Amino acid sequence: MASIRKHRNRWQVQVRRQGMKGLSRSFLNKVDAQAWARQTEAELDRTGFIATTGATLNAPLSALLERYALEISPTKKGGAIEAIRLKQICASKLASVSLAKKR
C-alpha cells in the first residue's frame, strides 16, 4: 500500500514492496498523488516491476557503461582507474548484450 503525506506545500507518495527499491514522487495535488499511487501499485501487481524507458532497455551494456564512465567516474576519487576497467569491459563480448535480452 502506498503512503501519502503532506510535505511542506506538496504531497509525497511512497510505494514500497518487499525485496524492491522504494519508489517515491511528489505532487502539487493530493488527487494526482493518489492516482499515481494507484497506477504504480497496479503496474507492480500486474508485472512485478516498474517498466523503464524502452531506449534504456534496448541499449547494449557497453553504451550504459560508457555513459557511466563519462558522467559518474570523473566525480569519484579512483575515477581514472575505474574508467580504464570499464573500457576493458566494453571491449568484451558481454558488452554487446542488450539489457532487455532474456536469459
Side-chain angles (χ1 to χ4, degrees), residues 78-96:
I81 299 299
E82 185 177 67
I84 292 169
R85 289 185 181 131
L86 292 172
K87 190 173 182 180
Q88 289 175 334
I89 295 170
C90 287
S92 71
K93 290 181 184 179
L94 176 65
S96 64

Side-chain angles (χ1 to χ4, degrees), residues 69 71 75:
E71 295 177 10
T75 65

Side-chain angles (χ1 to χ4, degrees), residues 35-48:
W36 182 81
R38 280 192 307 272
Q39 177 184 0
T40 303
E41 288 180 330
E43 187 172 349
L44 280 170
D45 290 339
R46 265 193 323 275
T47 63

Side-chain angles (χ1 to χ4, degrees), residues 14-97:
Q14 290 183 333
V15 177
R16 295 185 193 144
R17 293 291 165 100
Q18 187 174 2
M20 294 182 65
K21 185 177 176 184
L23 302 168
S24 64
R25 192 161 169 201
S26 296
F27 296 89
L28 293 175
N29 302 322
K30 186 175 183 179
V31 173
D32 293 338
Q34 291 171 332
W36 182 81
R38 280 192 307 272
Q39 177 184 0
T40 303
E41 288 180 330
E43 187 172 349
L44 280 170
D45 290 339
R46 265 193 323 275
T47 63
F49 63 94
I50 296 296
T52 59
T53 62
T56 303
L57 288 176
N58 291 331
L61 179 61
S62 61
L64 299 176
L65 291 175
E66 288 169 3
R67 181 176 171 194
Y68 183 89
L70 289 173
E71 295 177 10
I72 306 298
S73 290
T75 65
K76 299 166 94 177
K77 184 177 178 182
I81 299 299
E82 185 177 67
I84 292 169
R85 289 185 181 131
L86 292 172
K87 190 173 182 180
Q88 289 175 334
I89 295 170
C90 287
S92 71
K93 290 181 184 179
L94 176 65
S96 64
V97 174

